[in-house]
Amino acid sequence: MEDIFNVNEVISEPNRFAVAISTVTDSRQQFNETDVSFAPVPGRPSEQYVLWGDDNQLPYHVISTIGEDEIMAQNKFFNVLTCYGAGLKLMDREQKQPTRDTEILSWQLRNALPTYMLEQATDMKYFFFTVTVLILSRDGKQINKIRHKEACDCRLARADKDGVISRVYYANWRENPTEVETIPLLDFYDPIGDLRTRMGLEPDARGRMLRPTADRKFAVITRFPTPGLQYYPVPYYTALFRGDWFDIKRLIGTGKKYKLRNHASIKYHVEVHRDYWNSICEEEGITDPVKQKERVNKEKQNIRDFICGIENSGKHWITGFYVDVNGKETHMVRINLIDPGKEGGDWSEDIAEAANTICYCDNIHPNLVGATPGKTQTNNSGSDKRELFTLKQSLEIPFHDIMLLPIHLVMDYNGWSDKVYPDVPMILLTTLDQNTDAVKKSPSTGDVDDPNDPNNK
């Protein structure tokens, strides 16, 4: 019997898997915590800002690492959506319904509050840290615009001797920026009082009325507190990068990929008797050794073409055989079907465990996002999932409370606080016997907005 396959065409680079695994580095090297470091502001050597990570690239590392992991990326997307809830609403204090005040509605429209809220929720879920810029009118009597600044592009100024951080530096820190925008930063704990003092509307802590500042742009920072907070928060989910399971999941994915890529997936094993080649040449009268070799190679290709391809399904092939002196059947051509089984099926339980751990770090039940593979992992009832979603929504209230601080500031400074208040209603899933799929509930008042109520239409 002669081999018709070249083993070198099937098995290549046997050490490729080991090389691929070695490229998966320990994530702790990239996300390690260090002491606070400072650097001079580009173009202003007398001013210093706080580095975010060893190389000042930590937020960009976080974004790219999350974007490369299918579970973490979807978890962050889910967290942003649940934080957004039913959207930011400016509610009438008396009617408990979205305001119809034309002045406020015009301000809301010009500031694209849905986009602003989604941007704020995104940064909060990634960094526990958001930056809002308030732009005042020329006379300083009203806040005309409210804008989101990407947290990854913001750096805090070094605190002065009294512990006050007075500025935010905004630039593209991925590169060595030559232009850096400086934005005055309002007090973390009393931004409205700080703004009114700077604009000469009320005295400072010492009872002095200051001359109104010429600045018309101010930054407001909202931070979710974390232990040991100095400048930039360390989100709780980043414990995943400092542990082992994130690397384990990456190793599993890399291992399965290269196992499938380098595995010799042979479906058929063809046995050809050496006399078969001779009989073909004899029948066709080929005696030249070179032409005999060419004819054999052509026949090998014919066999490959015959057994491969869906278009050959249902065809049959007739070949001869003979019985030797011992009574044993000897076939000229025999095709054996090889069952490769399920390739790359290793580590299934480890993948499920890694996915559960990642979802646990992101404070998401796996059944809400479908992160855990396997039929038995997604067998929760509808009632269980509804309660899980309700629980998830209720856990967003602390984030809403701190994220609405800039909106409360605008309402107060513009003199609208007695008419409206900001709110982010939660979406509460209901049962089908209530003739609706969901209702909205205000976390601040507890009122339920039932779409079946004619007064809410």
mmCIF file with all atom_site columns, all heavy atoms in Angstrom, residues 263-267 337-344:
data_model
loop_
_atom_site.group_PDB
_atom_site.id
_atom_site.type_symbol
_atom_site.label_atom_id
_atom_site.label_alt_id
_atom_site.label_comp_id
_atom_site.label_asym_id
_atom_site.label_entity_id
_atom_site.label_seq_id
_atom_site.pdbx_PDB_ins_code
_atom_site.Cartn_x
_atom_site.Cartn_y
_atom_site.Cartn_z
_atom_site.occupancy
_atom_site.B_iso_or_equiv
_atom_site.pdbx_formal_charge
_atom_site.auth_seq_id
_atom_site.auth_comp_id
_atom_site.auth_asym_id
_atom_site.auth_atom_id
_atom_site.pdbx_PDB_model_num
ATOM 1  N N   . HIS A 1 263 ? -4.709  20.985 14.475 1.00 0.00 ? 263 HIS A N   1
ATOM 2  C CA  . HIS A 1 263 ? -5.162  19.597 14.502 1.00 0.00 ? 263 HIS A CA  1
ATOM 3  C C   . HIS A 1 263 ? -5.368  19.088 13.083 1.00 0.00 ? 263 HIS A C   1
ATOM 4  O O   . HIS A 1 263 ? -5.911  19.786 12.232 1.00 0.00 ? 263 HIS A O   1
ATOM 5  C CB  . HIS A 1 263 ? -6.466  19.479 15.281 1.00 0.00 ? 263 HIS A CB  1
ATOM 6  C CG  . HIS A 1 263 ? -6.926  18.066 15.459 1.00 0.00 ? 263 HIS A CG  1
ATOM 7  N ND1 . HIS A 1 263 ? -6.317  17.196 16.327 1.00 0.00 ? 263 HIS A ND1 1
ATOM 8  C CD2 . HIS A 1 263 ? -7.937  17.375 14.878 1.00 0.00 ? 263 HIS A CD2 1
ATOM 9  C CE1 . HIS A 1 263 ? -6.931  16.024 16.283 1.00 0.00 ? 263 HIS A CE1 1
ATOM 10 N NE2 . HIS A 1 263 ? -7.922  16.114 15.407 1.00 0.00 ? 263 HIS A NE2 1
ATOM 11 N N   . ALA A 1 264 ? -4.910  17.869 12.805 1.00 0.00 ? 264 ALA A N   1
ATOM 12 C CA  . ALA A 1 264 ? -5.067  17.272 11.479 1.00 0.00 ? 264 ALA A CA  1
ATOM 13 C C   . ALA A 1 264 ? -6.474  16.707 11.353 1.00 0.00 ? 264 ALA A C   1
ATOM 14 O O   . ALA A 1 264 ? -6.737  15.581 11.780 1.00 0.00 ? 264 ALA A O   1
ATOM 15 C CB  . ALA A 1 264 ? -4.024  16.175 11.262 1.00 0.00 ? 264 ALA A CB  1
ATOM 16 N N   . SER A 1 265 ? -7.374  17.459 10.765 1.00 0.00 ? 265 SER A N   1
ATOM 17 C CA  . SER A 1 265 ? -8.770  17.039 10.641 1.00 0.00 ? 265 SER A CA  1
ATOM 18 C C   . SER A 1 265 ? -8.931  16.207 9.368  1.00 0.00 ? 265 SER A C   1
ATOM 19 O O   . SER A 1 265 ? -9.254  16.728 8.301  1.00 0.00 ? 265 SER A O   1
ATOM 20 C CB  . SER A 1 265 ? -9.695  18.260 10.622 1.00 0.00 ? 265 SER A CB  1
ATOM 21 O OG  . SER A 1 265 ? -9.557  18.995 11.811 1.00 0.00 ? 265 SER A OG  1
ATOM 22 N N   . ILE A 1 266 ? -8.675  14.902 9.460  1.00 0.00 ? 266 ILE A N   1
ATOM 23 C CA  . ILE A 1 266 ? -8.784  13.998 8.324  1.00 0.00 ? 266 ILE A CA  1
ATOM 24 C C   . ILE A 1 266 ? -10.078 13.212 8.458  1.00 0.00 ? 266 ILE A C   1
ATOM 25 O O   . ILE A 1 266 ? -10.294 12.526 9.459  1.00 0.00 ? 266 ILE A O   1
ATOM 26 C CB  . ILE A 1 266 ? -7.579  13.037 8.262  1.00 0.00 ? 266 ILE A CB  1
ATOM 27 C CG1 . ILE A 1 266 ? -6.278  13.844 8.145  1.00 0.00 ? 266 ILE A CG1 1
ATOM 28 C CG2 . ILE A 1 266 ? -7.713  12.078 7.094  1.00 0.00 ? 266 ILE A CG2 1
ATOM 29 C CD1 . ILE A 1 266 ? -5.040  12.995 8.215  1.00 0.00 ? 266 ILE A CD1 1
ATOM 30 N N   . LYS A 1 267 ? -10.937 13.295 7.448  1.00 0.00 ? 267 LYS A N   1
ATOM 31 C CA  . LYS A 1 267 ? -12.229 12.623 7.517  1.00 0.00 ? 267 LYS A CA  1
ATOM 32 C C   . LYS A 1 267 ? -12.182 11.227 6.905  1.00 0.00 ? 267 LYS A C   1
ATOM 33 O O   . LYS A 1 267 ? -12.895 10.327 7.359  1.00 0.00 ? 267 LYS A O   1
ATOM 34 C CB  . LYS A 1 267 ? -13.286 13.470 6.804  1.00 0.00 ? 267 LYS A CB  1
ATOM 35 C CG  . LYS A 1 267 ? -14.702 12.925 6.987  1.00 0.00 ? 267 LYS A CG  1
ATOM 36 C CD  . LYS A 1 267 ? -15.725 13.883 6.390  1.00 0.00 ? 267 LYS A CD  1
ATOM 37 C CE  . LYS A 1 267 ? -17.135 13.365 6.650  1.00 0.00 ? 267 LYS A CE  1
ATOM 38 N NZ  . LYS A 1 267 ? -18.166 14.271 6.104  1.00 0.00 ? 267 LYS A NZ  1
ATOM 39 N N   . LEU A 1 337 ? -13.941 5.703  6.816  1.00 0.00 ? 337 LEU A N   1
ATOM 40 C CA  . LEU A 1 337 ? -14.447 6.949  7.408  1.00 0.00 ? 337 LEU A CA  1
ATOM 41 C C   . LEU A 1 337 ? -13.876 7.101  8.813  1.00 0.00 ? 337 LEU A C   1
ATOM 42 O O   . LEU A 1 337 ? -13.958 6.185  9.627  1.00 0.00 ? 337 LEU A O   1
ATOM 43 C CB  . LEU A 1 337 ? -15.968 6.943  7.462  1.00 0.00 ? 337 LEU A CB  1
ATOM 44 C CG  . LEU A 1 337 ? -16.632 8.165  8.112  1.00 0.00 ? 337 LEU A CG  1
ATOM 45 C CD1 . LEU A 1 337 ? -16.325 9.427  7.309  1.00 0.00 ? 337 LEU A CD1 1
ATOM 46 C CD2 . LEU A 1 337 ? -18.139 7.936  8.231  1.00 0.00 ? 337 LEU A CD2 1
ATOM 47 N N   . ILE A 1 338 ? -13.288 8.273  9.069  1.00 0.00 ? 338 ILE A N   1
ATOM 48 C CA  . ILE A 1 338 ? -12.689 8.561  10.371 1.00 0.00 ? 338 ILE A CA  1
ATOM 49 C C   . ILE A 1 338 ? -13.613 9.503  11.130 1.00 0.00 ? 338 ILE A C   1
ATOM 50 O O   . ILE A 1 338 ? -13.991 10.560 10.614 1.00 0.00 ? 338 ILE A O   1
ATOM 51 C CB  . ILE A 1 338 ? -11.294 9.197  10.222 1.00 0.00 ? 338 ILE A CB  1
ATOM 52 C CG1 . ILE A 1 338 ? -10.356 8.228  9.496  1.00 0.00 ? 338 ILE A CG1 1
ATOM 53 C CG2 . ILE A 1 338 ? -10.722 9.589  11.578 1.00 0.00 ? 338 ILE A CG2 1
ATOM 54 C CD1 . ILE A 1 338 ? -8.989  8.812  9.222  1.00 0.00 ? 338 ILE A CD1 1
ATOM 55 N N   . ASP A 1 339 ? -13.981 9.120  12.332 1.00 0.00 ? 339 ASP A N   1
ATOM 56 C CA  . ASP A 1 339 ? -14.808 9.970  13.195 1.00 0.00 ? 339 ASP A CA  1
ATOM 57 C C   . ASP A 1 339 ? -13.890 10.740 14.127 1.00 0.00 ? 339 ASP A C   1
ATOM 58 O O   . ASP A 1 339 ? -13.348 10.186 15.078 1.00 0.00 ? 339 ASP A O   1
ATOM 59 C CB  . ASP A 1 339 ? -15.793 9.130  14.002 1.00 0.00 ? 339 ASP A CB  1
ATOM 60 C CG  . ASP A 1 339 ? -16.715 9.993  14.851 1.00 0.00 ? 339 ASP A CG  1
ATOM 61 O OD1 . ASP A 1 339 ? -16.708 11.223 14.643 1.00 0.00 ? 339 ASP A OD1 1
ATOM 62 O OD2 . ASP A 1 339 ? -17.424 9.429  15.709 1.00 0.00 ? 339 ASP A OD2 1
ATOM 63 N N   . PRO A 1 340 ? -13.695 12.044 13.875 1.00 0.00 ? 340 PRO A N   1
ATOM 64 C CA  . PRO A 1 340 ? -12.764 12.811 14.703 1.00 0.00 ? 340 PRO A CA  1
ATOM 65 C C   . PRO A 1 340 ? -13.310 13.176 16.069 1.00 0.00 ? 340 PRO A C   1
ATOM 66 O O   . PRO A 1 340 ? -12.587 13.681 16.918 1.00 0.00 ? 340 PRO A O   1
ATOM 67 C CB  . PRO A 1 340 ? -12.524 14.079 13.867 1.00 0.00 ? 340 PRO A CB  1
ATOM 68 C CG  . PRO A 1 340 ? -13.809 14.262 13.120 1.00 0.00 ? 340 PRO A CG  1
ATOM 69 C CD  . PRO A 1 340 ? -14.318 12.869 12.829 1.00 0.00 ? 340 PRO A CD  1
ATOM 70 N N   . GLY A 1 341 ? -14.617 12.932 16.296 1.00 0.00 ? 341 GLY A N   1
ATOM 71 C CA  . GLY A 1 341 ? -15.202 13.355 17.570 1.00 0.00 ? 341 GLY A CA  1
ATOM 72 C C   . GLY A 1 341 ? -15.338 14.872 17.620 1.00 0.00 ? 341 GLY A C   1
ATOM 73 O O   . GLY A 1 341 ? -15.240 15.573 16.620 1.00 0.00 ? 341 GLY A O   1
ATOM 74 N N   . LYS A 1 342 ? -15.530 15.394 18.778 1.00 0.00 ? 342 LYS A N   1
ATOM 75 C CA  . LYS A 1 342 ? -15.678 16.842 18.967 1.00 0.00 ? 342 LYS A CA  1
ATOM 76 C C   . LYS A 1 342 ? -14.329 17.446 19.267 1.00 0.00 ? 342 LYS A C   1
ATOM 77 O O   . LYS A 1 342 ? -13.771 17.277 20.351 1.00 0.00 ? 342 LYS A O   1
ATOM 78 C CB  . LYS A 1 342 ? -16.656 17.141 20.108 1.00 0.00 ? 342 LYS A CB  1
ATOM 79 C CG  . LYS A 1 342 ? -16.947 18.622 20.267 1.00 0.00 ? 342 LYS A CG  1
ATOM 80 C CD  . LYS A 1 342 ? -17.960 18.871 21.368 1.00 0.00 ? 342 LYS A CD  1
ATOM 81 C CE  . LYS A 1 342 ? -18.240 20.356 21.517 1.00 0.00 ? 342 LYS A CE  1
ATOM 82 N NZ  . LYS A 1 342 ? -19.213 20.622 22.592 1.00 0.00 ? 342 LYS A NZ  1
ATOM 83 N N   . GLU A 1 343 ? -13.791 18.152 18.269 1.00 0.00 ? 343 GLU A N   1
ATOM 84 C CA  . GLU A 1 343 ? -12.467 18.731 18.436 1.00 0.00 ? 343 GLU A CA  1
ATOM 85 C C   . GLU A 1 343 ? -12.540 20.007 19.259 1.00 0.00 ? 343 GLU A C   1
ATOM 86 O O   . GLU A 1 343 ? -13.473 20.778 19.165 1.00 0.00 ? 343 GLU A O   1
ATOM 87 C CB  . GLU A 1 343 ? -11.864 19.034 17.063 1.00 0.00 ? 343 GLU A CB  1
ATOM 88 C CG  . GLU A 1 343 ? -11.741 17.806 16.181 1.00 0.00 ? 343 GLU A CG  1
ATOM 89 C CD  . GLU A 1 343 ? -11.288 18.165 14.782 1.00 0.00 ? 343 GLU A CD  1
ATOM 90 O OE1 . GLU A 1 343 ? -10.982 19.341 14.556 1.00 0.00 ? 343 GLU A OE1 1
ATOM 91 O OE2 . GLU A 1 343 ? -11.249 17.283 13.924 1.00 0.00 ? 343 GLU A OE2 1
ATOM 92 N N   . GLY A 1 344 ? -11.521 20.238 20.031 1.00 0.00 ? 344 GLY A N   1
ATOM 93 C CA  . GLY A 1 344 ? -11.449 21.473 20.821 1.00 0.00 ? 344 GLY A CA  1
ATOM 94 C C   . GLY A 1 344 ? -12.450 21.535 21.940 1.00 0.00 ? 344 GLY A C   1
ATOM 95 O O   . GLY A 1 344 ? -12.777 22.612 22.427 1.00 0.00 ? 344 GLY A O   1
#
